[in-house]
Amino acid sequence: MGIFIGSTPNIQNDDLILAKGLLDKSKDISNERIILERILQKLLSNKNILILNRGRDVLYIALKALGIKKNDSVLIQAFTCIAVPTPIIWLGSKPKYIDIDPKSFNMDLECLKRSISDKTRAIIAQHTFGNVQDVKRIKEIVDKENSKRELKDKIYIIEDCAH
């Protein structure tokens, strides 16, 4: 059994306790995940809550649920971590890197507009270093493009707040 508790070397005492608990076959910590999901369902008035281990897993499930497939293009900003393009590649899709605004480190929206092609099926709007991406403007760009497309070719926006 392998244990993955994160990509950064910031292991704290509670992480070690959790890892030991995972190795102890007499303890079932999956119940803790279910309890947390139920708390979040009540807080957010939403029954569709799923807690996962890593952001790349969340992106994979989101892209798969949206029907992103082989040879589709997913636009992501050039300044990102490996967790963003990895699930795109797992699906056989193509990550397309968009230049960033040097002031915010977020996607340059003029570059985004020029980079949309007929293969584009999703845009991952990443908020970097607490700098909020202009999702309203991205939605305007996508809505204008989607008005010319059939339903099966629509572009979806996924917000990534993990960075």
Side-chain angles (χ1 to χ4, degrees):
M1 173 182 179
I3 298 175
F4 177 77
I5 59 171
S7 300
T8 57
N10 62 353
I11 298 172
Q12 298 173 352
N13 195 42
D14 59 337
D15 296 319
L16 295 174
I17 292 168
L18 178 60
K20 286 178 186 176
L22 286 168
L23 292 173
D24 184 350
K25 299 289 186 203
S26 67
K27 295 181 181 177
D28 181 14
I29 67 155
S30 64
N31 192 42
E32 293 177 17
R33 180 188 57 80
I34 292 166
I35 291 169
L36 180 56
E37 284 177 354
R38 287 185 181 146
I39 290 169
L40 290 171
Q41 286 170 348
K42 286 179 186 172
L43 280 172
L44 301 172
S45 300
N46 187 332
K47 299 292 182 206
N48 300 313
I49 302 283
L50 177 64
I51 296 175
L52 297 168
N53 180 19
R54 305 178 303 179
R56 72 191 73 194
D57 296 337
V58 173
L59 286 174
Y60 176 81
I61 289 171
L63 292 165
K64 184 113 174 136
L66 293 172
I68 307 303
K69 58 192 176 314
K70 187 175 180 158
N71 296 320
D72 285 344
S73 176
V74 179
L75 308 187
I76 61 176
Q77 66 184 48
F79 184 76
T80 191
C81 73
I82 194 68
V84 178
T86 299
I88 299 166
I89 294 166
W90 288 342
L91 287 167
S93 303
K94 310 284 187 230
K96 187 170 184 181
Y97 295 91
I98 308 303
D99 202 2
I100 62 165
D101 176 341
K103 293 178 187 151
S104 68
F105 296 99
N106 287 331
M107 194 180 305
D108 180 305
L109 300 186
E110 289 304 313
C111 291
L112 172 68
K113 267 199 298 195
R114 291 190 304 268
S115 299
I116 293 174
S117 74
D118 60 332
K119 296 257 186 207
T120 303
R121 294 295 177 267
I123 297 169
I124 298 178
Q126 178 180 311
H127 305 287
T128 308
F129 301 137
N131 297 316
V132 178
Q133 180 66 266
D134 189 349
V135 179
K136 182 179 178 184
R137 180 71 183 114
I138 293 173
K139 186 174 179 341
E140 289 169 1
I141 294 166
V142 169
D143 286 348
K144 184 176 179 181
E145 180 63 33
N146 278 345
S147 69
K148 305 176 231 171
R149 294 179 177 221
E150 294 182 36
L151 181 60
K152 67 180 182 61
D153 297 325
K154 298 286 186 190
I155 299 171
Y156 297 95
I157 302 168
I158 299 171
E159 276 189 79
D160 181 353
C161 302
H163 300 279

